[in-house]
Amino acid sequence: MKTESDQRPLTGLRSVPNPSIRAPLWAKLVATFFGIGLLRPGPGSWASAVTALLWWLLSGGINPRWQAAAAALLAATAVLVGIPAATRISRTTGLKDPQFVVIDEVAG
């Protein structure tokens, strides 16, 4: 027996990416954080771990007085570049929230 929710069409959503439409390389690299979003299991966890490791390595060379400003600048950059990249990937694949898009974990 079908329920009302089974009868509603899922307009605009596809479970499989459309191979005839390709996202630009820059959007793929940014949205997946240079491919880290393709790692399994837990691509968001991998992205968070790599981001923390990169910050740990980078912050050693930054004067402690400037670390907060540097962190804010890097996060803002990830947001400003990541939103258009994630939007392009989402529109290209037809997926509302693709798991492999991890730039939001990086920005956070």
Side-chain angles (χ1 to χ4, degrees):
M1 178 173 192
K2 289 187 176 185
T3 65
E4 183 180 320
S5 63
D6 292 335
Q7 296 172 0
R8 283 183 287 177
L10 295 175
T11 58
L13 297 177
R14 291 188 297 265
S15 60
V16 179
N18 185 344
S20 64
I21 303 172
R22 295 195 175 191
L25 180 60
W26 73 268
K28 290 178 189 177
L29 290 174
V30 169
T32 64
F33 196 49
F34 302 95
I36 291 175
L38 303 175
L39 296 176
R40 298 285 181 250
S45 298
W46 283 108
S48 296
V50 170
T51 302
L53 177 64
L54 287 173
W55 174 249
W56 179 71
L57 293 170
L58 182 64
S59 66
I62 300 173
N63 185 321
R65 276 187 277 171
W66 294 102
Q67 286 182 359
L73 180 64
L74 289 171
T77 301
V79 169
L80 291 173
V81 176
I83 289 174
T87 301
R88 287 292 279 276
I89 294 297
S90 181
R91 287 181 181 165
T92 300
T93 61
L95 301 172
K96 185 176 179 183
D97 186 18
Q99 284 189 334
F100 56 88
V101 173
V102 294
I103 195 63
D104 52 331
E105 281 82 8
V106 173

